[in-house]
Amino acid sequence: MHTVDIIRKKRDGGELSSEEIRHLVQAYARDEIPDYQMSAWAMAVFFRGMSDRETADLTLEMVRSGEEVDLSAIRGVKVDKHSTGGVGDTTTLVLGPLVAAAGVPVAKLSGRGLGHTGGTIDKLESFAGFSTSLSQERFAEQVNEIGIAVMGQTADLTPADKQLYGLRDVTGTVESIPLIASSIMSKKIAGGADSIVLDVKTGSGAFMKDEEEAARLARAMVGIGTQVGRRTVAVISDMNQPLGQAVGNALEVKEALHTLRGEGPADLTELCLTLGSHMVVLSEAAETVEEARRRLEEKIADGSALDKFREFVEAQGGDVRAVKEPDRYLPRADRVVEVVASRSGTVSALDAEEIGLCAMQLGAGRETKDDVIDHAVGIVLRKKIGDPVEQGETLALLHGNDEETLEAAEQRFLNAVTLSDHPVSPPRQIRGIVTDEGEKAE
Ligand code: URA
Ligand code: CA
């Protein structure tokens, strides 16, 4: 097979065969196709697109380029949740124990964060002693015993995607729906999930800023899941402002504990109940999303979701006293600075990206992979979009350990807030749901 013929075919708008896609991906992964040919092909895909069949083929070939996680030792239908990435996205910490309490086996492979805040593992390490270095056997055992485990990702998943994503990054070919969809789905499929719930964020703080683009990405990913026999549901959700109130590792753990007690922020609670209901249905623990949602609300109200979190923290060696008394046993910053409004008005914008960078400046995130993060620091929002504010009222609390960075962060935070003289309605959290049966606008 000649690579140049495959590039020409796609350039001219043709549909590639499964064999042609296999050749491209596997030969590229073996370094037998040079970057310049793969770049030309990616640019042709950018302009010409790919059919659903081609996109599914590309996804499966990227899965086959590396190891696949085998979760078959774990009983039940394993459902994984994936978010396309937001600021202060505390959902995983809430959803894990919540759906586990409702009977969904949660076998989560996770990574550390790079960028504005930590990843799930970093957040969990706010509990003194918490360890995610489990053996494959212990991991499966713990899920079978208590319904939930989180483990650091060690397997070499989808090396072809890693290579191709790196290439796309420097050749102007990231922004292609079939390439993004296959990249994300290949990692989820290699991770061993039977079913997948996707949280596709849209808005100023999201990778997909435009809502229609986010819907297209959601449809493409659900299409891949359906083609390869993994039931997939996508929830399109708002990311015009950080989710919930807390941004930062221990602060988000505390927020998750509040939410599991039924006292969390409305937007975070709504998103968790929506994503969670679909997880419960895909796991076959309930027949309808309405029934699933009622079940989850019960698990919050009767305390069993919070109990599950405690059990999970204990099983992985974390200090469980922090579940009951987070203020006493989670890391705390030395200084808390109030950011106040210099005028009255209604909050009309809270630039999520800037607020994420502000939390990173305080030490909550990593700029490079070797940076050490400070679990205690971050931001707690007191006002969100649509809230009225009086001059002198507190907009947010900045938790920091260093005077100089706190001053810089305060300025940065103020620049991220826009106040309007007119009433503003808060954004709707859930924008749409895409399933294999079609689409529902919310
Ligand atoms: N995230 C991914 O994992 N892949 C992409 O192509 C884009 C975003
Ligand atoms: Ca949050």
Side-chain angles (χ1 to χ4, degrees):
M1 218 172 281
H2 291 295
T3 304
V4 64
D5 295 334
I6 301 176
I7 298 170
R8 276 201 199 100
K9 187 169 171 185
K10 183 45 71 184
R11 179 199 66 193
D12 297 337
E15 183 175 9
L16 302 183
S17 70
S18 302
E19 292 69 33
E20 287 168 329
I21 291 174
R22 175 168 311 150
H23 165 79
L24 269 179
V25 175
Q26 304 311 341
Y28 182 56
R30 292 192 302 265
D31 292 328
E32 291 165 17
I33 293 179
D35 280 347
Y36 51 81
Q37 282 191 306
M38 210 60 187
S39 314
W41 170 79
M43 191 56 88
V45 170
F46 177 89
F47 283 111
R48 293 296 195 171
M50 287 204 287
S51 70
D52 287 353
R53 203 222 82 243
E54 285 177 291
T55 310
D57 279 341
L58 174 62
T59 307
L60 285 180
E61 289 306 331
M62 295 204 289
V63 171
R64 287 186 193 119
S65 73
E67 290 177 53
E68 282 181 66
V69 178
D70 179 5
L71 299 178
S72 60
I74 298 166
R75 292 188 294 273
V77 182
K78 277 76 71 184
V79 189
D80 199 4
K81 193 260 325 180
H82 177 81
S83 149
T84 59
V87 176
D89 186 359
T90 316
T91 53
T92 303
L93 291 176
V94 177
L95 275 171
L98 179 58
V99 302
V104 179
V106 177
K108 187 96 194 144
L109 297 164
S110 213
R112 284 172 204 283
L114 193 59
H116 16 261
T117 59
T120 299
I121 291 186
D122 299 306
K123 293 176 194 178
L124 288 168
E125 283 176 350
S126 303
F127 290 99
F130 196 99
S131 166
T132 53
S133 333
L134 310 180
S135 68
Q136 190 70 43
E137 293 70 34
R138 183 56 211 143
F139 176 67
E141 241 169 53
Q142 188 181 314
V143 182
N144 285 333
E145 281 164 21
I146 68 165
I148 175 170
V150 173
M151 177 178 156
Q153 178 62 267
T154 50
D156 185 20
L157 305 185
T158 62
D161 170 63
K162 229 169 268 164
Q163 237 174 303
L164 182 58
Y165 195 13
L167 186 67
R168 286 165 54 213
D169 206 23
V170 293
T171 55
T173 50
V174 168
E175 298 90 346
S176 152
I177 297 274
L179 293 180
I180 299 167
S182 55
S183 169
I184 294 174
M185 287 298 283
S186 68
K187 287 176 272 218
K188 291 288 113 185
I189 292 165
D194 301 312
S195 300
I196 300 154
V197 173
L198 300 160
D199 179 9
V200 181
K201 310 274 195 195
T202 184
S204 61
F207 179 61
M208 286 286 160
K209 306 218 179 307
D210 179 72
E211 196 166 331
E212 189 38 48
E213 281 287 290
R216 282 179 59 210
L217 176 62
R219 287 193 289 268
M221 292 194 287
V222 171
I224 294 171
T226 307
Q227 293 244 349
V228 308
R230 315 256 179 147
R231 290 180 69 197
T232 303
V233 171
V235 172
I236 301 163
S237 76
D238 184 76
M239 189 36 76
N240 278 298
Q241 60 184 340
L243 186 62
Q245 293 181 308
V247 183
N249 299 285
L251 294 169
E252 287 187 53
V253 167
K254 197 173 144 188
E255 177 170 69
L257 291 167
H258 278 308
T259 307
L260 288 167
R261 282 196 187 93
E263 295 159 3
D267 57 350
L268 175 61
T269 303
E270 176 57 28
L271 182 57
C272 288
L273 288 171
T274 304
L275 293 167
S277 312
H278 287 283
M279 293 175 79
V280 170
V281 169
L282 287 184
S283 177
E284 296 164 10
E287 298 258 332
T288 65
V289 283
E290 293 76 19
E291 181 194 337
R293 188 176 172 117
R294 274 195 301 277
R295 177 100 52 88
L296 295 176
E297 283 167 343
E298 262 167 42
K299 298 296 172 193
I300 292 174
D302 70 9
S304 45
L306 186 64
D307 283 345
K308 187 55 74 183
F309 199 3
R310 181 183 301 109
E311 219 180 331
F312 160 59
V313 170
E314 187 163 34
Q316 301 204 202
D319 184 349
V320 288
R321 291 176 302 177
V323 173
K324 201 163 174 196
E325 292 180 83
D327 284 329
R328 186 148 171 216
Y329 293 107
L330 286 177
R332 269 171 44 185
D334 292 338
R335 299 248 302 136
V336 179
V337 172
E338 281 185 49
V339 186
V340 298
S342 54
R343 50 165 279 209
S344 301
T346 304
V347 179
S348 59
L350 274 176
D351 187 327
E353 255 170 46
E354 274 303 300
I355 292 172
L357 291 170
C358 185
M360 182 153 114
Q361 192 164 26
L362 289 167
R366 291 183 186 83
E367 265 170 80
T368 70
K369 161 168 131 314
D370 301 318
D371 284 351
V372 175
I373 62 173
D374 184 341
H375 290 90
V377 302
I379 300 164
V380 177
L381 303 171
R382 283 287 181 80
K383 300 288 176 189
K384 302 250 316 202
I385 295 177
D387 288 341
V389 185
E390 296 291 329
Q391 183 181 359
E393 241 194 312
T394 305
L395 293 168
L397 302 173
L398 305 185
H399 294 240
N401 279 323
D402 177 277
E403 208 63 42
E404 230 170 274
T405 54
L406 270 166
E407 266 173 43
E410 184 176 0
Q411 201 45 55
R412 188 159 205 165
F413 186 88
L414 280 169
N415 292 338
V417 182
T418 313
L419 295 176
S420 160
D421 293 327
H422 308 286
V424 176
S425 30
R428 281 173 303 119
Q429 192 53 45
I430 311 296
R431 301 304 180 80
I433 312 271
V434 182
T435 70
D436 52 9
E437 285 167 0
E439 209 162 323
K440 192 170 110 211
E442 290 289 306

